[in-house]
Amino acid sequence: MTIFYPDVSSYQAGISFSGCVIAMVKATENNNYTNPDYAAAKERAASAGAYFCAYHFLHAGNGAGQASYAFSRVGAGIPLMIDCEPTTDSAPQISDAVAFINEYRALGGTVYLLYLPHWYWQGNLGQASLSPVIDLGMLLVSSDYTGYSDTGPGWDAYGGMTPAIWQYTSNATLNGVSNVDMNAYQGTLSDFQAQVSTGAQTSANPTLTEGDTGPAVTTLQTRLNVWGAKLTVDGDFGPATLAAVKAFQTAQKLTVDGIVGPQTWSALNQNPGGAVPYPAPTGLAAGAVSLAVTWDAVTVNGTAVASYTVQAVGLNGEVYAHATPATNSVVLTGLVAGWTYNIQVWANGGPVAPPNASIKVTV
């Protein structure tokens, strides 16, 4: 499922959070500004039943001092996002964010979200490696005002990070207020709470129910087709997918509830009739921040596989690029020049790549 939520500042003072699952509110800026609507907005979020988060607008220099100021206003127990973008007289750097994070956590604060627009990272920060914030367990919030889709450009990785949240517009209307920033998160509220509170990564196989959409549903439909379903792989968990899930659960002697949880995923991620042949990647062509990968096409019982899974996995085990092409080639983007990755390729959306489906390459 996808959750949509606003982030607001004093420009939207008095805004109602009615109908919102999450409310993100500006608390502080630099080391001398507090949003005059912050405390009232926090109360309005509570009245609406929205999960409350704060954000700090970061300036260049004195990251530790800014953290101390922000913590004095926000306090412990409230997840904080760092807003890292330029103003007319300030251009914060990754080092400023690192100093802020370390001090804020030392004071007892919770900070795992980093709002860093792709355009700022690319044009102003020189496509800097984000490994210093990756090492601190931060989660990337991207910004690309192109309108939302489950596979849109706001989900593309950069600097070695894949966005956990995408700010996809700055001109939404919410409860009668215009020009509101809106964000998308692919997961449940409990997933979101876990991530912003601990930095935890969500499962690659989240619990799915009818009505869900997105990449995880695409994987579900692909795996159901491997087991004999005849679904259109469109990423939409509709009635046909529900019927296929229940049929699969019945055949596997699982609880037939139409909910795709850990037990159903475990069964789906097996391969009927034994292992299928997996291709090893070949024909690598490295670029500055992209990588073209091709491999031999695979057939199972004479039929071409529905799709492949391709991942670029860092030496720390984190996935930095992920694609599910239907043909035997793909270009992975958002990689960091000079970094070494294990490129893994396997067929039909299976759970993990076997050892012979991995090759190490430095881009």
Side-chain angles (χ1 to χ4, degrees), residues 278-281 309-311 342-347 352-359:
Y278 292 101
T309 300
V310 187
Q311 291 183 342
N342 287 311
I343 307 300
Q344 299 181 333
V345 182
W346 65 100
V352 293
N356 69 341
S358 179
I359 189 169

Side-chain angles (χ1 to χ4, degrees), residues 10 32 45 54 66 83 104 109 111 116 127 161 164 190 200 212 230 241 244 252 255 330 338 341 346 358:
S10 60
N32 55 10
Q66 293 183 65
D83 186 335
Y104 198 80
V111 56
L116 179 65
Q127 300 185 18
M161 299 181 77
S190 60
D212 287 342
K230 303 295 182 182
T241 301
Q252 296 296 313
T255 300
V330 72
Y341 301 89
W346 65 100
S358 179

Side-chain angles (χ1 to χ4, degrees), residues 8-34:
V8 301
S9 66
S10 60
Y11 292 110
Q12 295 86 23
I15 190 171
S16 168
F17 297 110
S18 176
C20 297
V21 178
I22 300 163
M24 176 80 69
V25 177
K26 181 176 182 178
T28 50
E29 181 173 341
N30 203 353
N31 59 4
N32 55 10
Y33 173 83
T34 299

Side-chain angles (χ1 to χ4, degrees), residues 18 24 27 49-50 64 135 152 171 192 218 226 239 271 281-282 296 301 309 315 321 332 349 357:
S18 176
M24 176 80 69
D135 291 343
N171 61 5
F192 180 89
T218 299
V226 169
N271 289 304
T282 59
D296 292 334
N301 297 326
T309 300
L315 299 184
L332 302 178

Side-chain angles (χ1 to χ4, degrees), residues 70-92:
F71 185 76
S72 72
R73 301 306 193 269
V74 176
I78 296 176
L80 184 82
M81 179 181 77
I82 303 172
D83 186 335
C84 185
E85 57 183 311
T87 64
T88 55
D89 59 355
S90 174

Side-chain angles (χ1 to χ4, degrees), residues 170-195:
S170 62
N171 61 5
T173 298
L174 175 66
N175 294 325
V177 178
S178 59
N179 298 320
V180 176
D181 294 342
M182 289 295 291
N183 306 268
Y185 174 80
Q186 292 183 335
T188 65
L189 177 59
S190 60
D191 290 336
F192 180 89
Q193 291 171 326
Q195 290 205 275

